[in-house]
Amino acid sequence: TEGSGGVWGGKQSSQKAGGTDSPQHCAPVEPLNGSGRSAKYEPHRVGRKGIFCEKLETQTESLSEDFDFLASAVCAKLNKLNPNSAELILVTVDGYCARSVTAFTSLLEHGIRRLGLSEKTLVVTNAFAVKKLARDFGVAATVVVNAAHGAETGTTQDASKGIPRTSPLRTSVTLLKWYVATFILADGYDLLVTDPTTVLLKDPSGFFFKDADVQTLSSGWDDTTSYGYDHVVDDPAMDWSRYCHGGRVVASDVAFVRFAATAESVTFASLLARRLRWFLGEENLVSGEMDSGGSGTTVGSATKPYSMANLDPADASSKKNLTEKQFEQLAFNELLYLPSQGGYVAPGVVKRTLNYLCFANSKTVFRFLRKDGKLKDRKEHTPVAVSFSFHPNEAVARGSSLRRFYVKAEQQALSGWSDGEGRGDQKGENQAKQAFGASCAGDSEQLRDAKKAEPHEEDAHQLGRHFRVHRDWSWGSVTPFAFNANGELQTPWGGGTWGFIESKETEKGEKGATFFAAAIWARFVGATHVLNFEPSEFDEPNFIFVSERCADGDMVVGRVVQ
């Protein structure tokens, strides 16, 4: 077989993608043989459910006004949720942002209520109108903290014990989210933290693994970007030791994270809250921050922010160009990936990146899934959840199209959107395809009579010259894949040929032929593919290609290896 199993591509792709042709292929699988997992994951659970709230009721010493009152409000709401749920769901809504409220309404109607998740969902917001909205859709557990009233417990509101008016918890729902997450985890509940723009197509509970403290949706779109790759830095001055190998991976998405109720998860959420509090302008953090303990949770204090790899805590200007959401994403990934260094101790979570086709971001869906010959069939593959971090300004409208496609089976629901921002009719998309890239359908006549590249064509074409410097590539995550001289192709599945595609564009060869400037064809194992080349994530020209297999539309991403 060819070995390109859809957008992920490559050897053993079905295991990597979690995929068989069944829509249930997103379910957790056992570790692969030889995966290196020699010992069973043993979580450091904080204790039984309810342990934190019980201790909170019996403590006699006040820790801080912020801590005491908000923790009590959260504990009151936990009593309204189903204690037997596999995990609780925490959704944070800015009630003064119309886009956030609209997205939350859609999540309530088409996700939480449709999937029967109301009894396991807790909403955190700064507006009482959001509480009413949630209640209308069957969600009874809502914590409200706003600038005017502080926290509302659901029974009585004691102003003398309320959150101080100067507290950033009154003005930042992002900070509020991570305080509440810390309390829930400390009380022994596993927790899914998600943004209101997330589209839930299935109940995610049955699709999480049980071998990690933190499971995250990736911002990547293939094996290499989602799961990481060997990144090599070349320093010729070092002679034989010139090549330094390291790992590189695209960030995890803070908009969709599943935590196990472990000591490490509590530390993680607490550290993230501290960093956000520093970002919001508090020079000295109040006492009463949560620290993990061996058999549960103890309370410590923090008098200054933790050091950060990319921001200097002593330099206020280092955060001036970041929004609150951008800082949250940055701090989350630093906690997830960076090691202990100097005076900083990492939370030490065991992490798992969720399957990027099952827990997808909007780039993966609109750039690849909807075009892939197999994956565009919703009977073959339906994501569990989709995050819209790549399309935040269009999350509501694109989310509606996504639900119409996967839930209501409207086959053309996704076709009106561009890959990036904005809409475009089919005619406009076809014209753009002709102008900027080749395609199997649009260039079928040229492909039928195409001949492999000749030396004089390689001399004249930018890709021909590029291949002489960068012969070795990956196909999906598989190597070797090489565009050799004289139109010869080397692949793991046998030899093949490659050549340029004639076009009306103006990259001319020596004999007057005109070719697409950034596209070629490749033929191996009896199949023809059209490869369109793009800059890498770091703006290196022609370092990535997206391949379309002409027989069935399967898509594969490849990139320069060296």
Side-chain angles (χ1 to χ4, degrees):
T1 62
E2 179 195 339
S4 57
V7 71
W8 54 86
K11 187 179 181 181
Q12 293 184 322
S13 60
S14 62
Q15 291 98 325
K16 286 185 178 182
T20 64
D21 290 342
S22 167
Q24 294 301 316
H25 58 234
C26 291
V29 296
E30 293 297 322
L32 297 176
N33 292 332
S35 66
R37 176 61 61 80
S38 57
K40 184 179 179 181
Y41 166 71
E42 295 290 347
H44 303 136
R45 303 288 301 191
V46 298
R48 59 182 173 80
K49 293 177 181 178
I51 186 171
F52 169 75
C53 292
E54 289 177 8
K55 289 182 178 180
L56 190 68
E57 290 180 358
T58 59
Q59 73 178 26
T60 58
E61 182 180 352
S62 176
L63 300 168
S64 76
E65 291 178 288
D66 299 55
F67 186 98
D68 289 350
F69 197 77
L70 180 59
S72 296
V74 172
C75 288
K77 298 302 180 180
L78 288 177
N79 291 329
K80 295 187 176 184
L81 298 175
N82 182 357
N84 298 317
S85 301
E87 68 277 313
L88 303 183
I89 300 174
L90 176 63
V91 184
T92 307
V93 185
D94 183 351
Y96 299 97
C97 173
R99 184 185 301 156
S100 180
V101 174
T102 303
F104 179 55
T105 304
S106 296
L107 177 63
L108 285 170
E109 180 178 1
H110 303 292
I112 292 172
R113 186 171 68 178
R114 180 178 66 86
L115 297 171
L117 307 178
S118 300
E119 292 185 354
K120 59 188 295 184
T121 300
L122 187 146
V123 177
V124 173
T125 183
N126 55 0
F128 289 98
V130 172
K131 176 182 178 179
K132 181 180 183 304
L133 176 64
R135 189 170 58 239
D136 290 343
F137 284 95
V139 177
T142 304
V143 173
V144 183
V145 177
N146 63 19
H149 300 98
E152 184 270 331
T153 65
T155 53
T156 62
Q157 185 172 324
D158 187 345
S160 66
K161 295 182 180 180
I163 293 174
R165 291 189 176 276
T166 57
S167 171
L169 288 173
R170 285 178 174 265
T171 56
S172 171
V173 291
T174 306
L175 177 62
L176 187 63
K177 168 172 67 176
W178 291 106
Y179 264 84
V180 172
T182 302
F183 300 147
I184 295 174
L185 291 169
D187 205 42
Y189 290 90
D190 293 350
L191 181 66
L192 171 61
V193 180
T194 188
D195 279 6
T197 55
T198 300
V199 170
L200 293 178
L201 297 170
K202 303 177 184 177
D203 180 352
S205 295
F207 299 96
F208 293 121
F209 286 70
K210 300 184 183 299
D211 62 355
D213 301 309
V214 181
Q215 302 181 54
T216 65
L217 185 148
S218 174
S219 295
W221 52 93
D222 61 8
D223 281 10
T224 305
T225 53
S226 299
Y227 306 144
Y229 65 97
D230 180 26
H231 179 73
V232 182
V233 177
D234 183 10
D235 184 359
M238 293 302 295
D239 300 319
W240 65 268
S241 61
R242 63 187 288 179
Y243 297 112
C244 180
H245 293 258
R248 200 165 205 166
V249 65
V250 168
S252 295
D253 193 344
V254 72
F256 190 93
V257 191
R258 201 269 190 187
F259 291 95
T262 62
E264 292 82 0
S265 292
V266 173
T267 300
F268 188 104
S270 176
L271 278 171
L272 187 48
R274 295 185 195 187
R275 290 184 171 180
L276 280 162
R277 196 150 189 166
W278 165 77
F279 178 78
L280 293 167
E282 287 207 346
E283 294 295 332
N284 297 307
L285 303 186
V286 298
S287 63
E289 304 292 346
M290 302 292 296
D291 286 314
S292 62
S295 61
T297 302
T298 59
V299 177
S301 64
T303 58
K304 61 182 180 179
Y306 278 74
S307 60
M308 304 185 67
N310 294 327
L311 296 178
D312 180 2
D315 180 9
S317 66
S318 66
K319 57 186 179 182
K320 65 182 180 181
N321 293 323
L322 290 173
T323 66
E324 188 174 312
K325 293 296 291 182
Q326 289 170 336
F327 180 81
E328 179 194 26
Q329 174 75 357
L330 168 66
F332 174 82
N333 277 276
E334 286 191 334
L335 288 171
L336 198 61
Y337 292 108
L338 294 185
S340 299
Q341 10 99 19
Y344 166 71
V345 179
V349 294
V350 175
K351 55 185 176 290
R352 168 178 279 276
T353 297
L354 294 165
N355 184 311
Y356 62 87
L357 297 174
C358 299
F359 295 89
N361 59 64
S362 54
K363 174 176 179 175
T364 301
V365 172
F366 287 92
R367 182 82 168 82
F368 297 109
L369 290 189
R370 65 172 176 163
K371 304 173 187 176
D372 187 272
K374 180 165 62 175
L375 299 180
K376 67 183 180 182
D377 183 351
R378 66 185 186 86
K379 295 180 181 178
E380 296 284 353
H381 176 75
T382 297
V384 176
V386 179
S387 166
F388 279 85
S389 296
F390 277 98
H391 300 90
N393 298 327
E394 299 172 337
V396 173
R398 284 182 184 258
S400 175
S401 296
L402 206 65
R403 284 185 287 266
R404 285 165 44 214
F405 180 81
Y406 284 110
V407 179
K408 298 183 178 180
E410 297 181 21
Q411 295 300 315
Q412 302 303 314
L414 302 180
S415 61
W417 291 102
S418 64
D419 292 347
E421 190 171 52
R423 294 179 180 268
D425 58 31
Q426 194 62 47
K427 179 180 178 182
E429 287 187 358
N430 289 338
Q431 288 174 341
K433 191 104 176 181
Q434 290 295 325
F436 300 110
S439 67
C440 289
D443 302 288
S444 58
E445 184 176 346
Q446 293 91 323
L447 291 171
R448 185 172 57 248
D449 302 322
K451 298 180 180 179
K452 68 178 184 177
E454 298 181 4
H456 71 273
E457 293 173 333
E458 292 184 51
D459 292 338
H461 198 286
Q462 64 172 7
L463 285 178
R465 299 189 296 269
H466 186 63
F467 292 155
R468 290 176 179 174
V469 180
H470 304 287
R471 286 291 184 200
D472 296 329
W473 295 67
S474 67
W475 178 270
S477 59
V478 179
T479 59
F481 193 89
F483 302 100
N484 292 326
N486 301 315
E488 297 296 326
L489 187 67
Q490 177 188 1
T491 85
W493 308 282
T497 55
W498 67 271
F500 304 108
I501 303 173
E502 290 192 16
S503 167
K504 295 180 181 179
E505 300 305 308
T506 56
E507 175 109 6
K508 295 196 176 210
E510 284 186 0
K511 296 184 178 180
T514 59
F515 302 114
F516 278 97
I520 64 169
W521 59 266
R523 187 174 294 119
F524 57 100
V525 199
T528 299
H529 307 255
V530 170
L531 283 60
N532 283 285
F533 287 76
E534 304 175 356
S536 72
E537 298 88 342
F538 314 106
D539 292 325
E540 300 160 308
N542 298 321
F543 264 53
I544 291 177
F545 66 75
V546 178
S547 169
E548 175 191 6
R549 187 165 60 191
C550 294
D552 57 11
D554 269 8
M555 302 179 75
V556 174
V557 178
R559 63 189 67 236
V560 168
V561 173
Q562 64 180 27

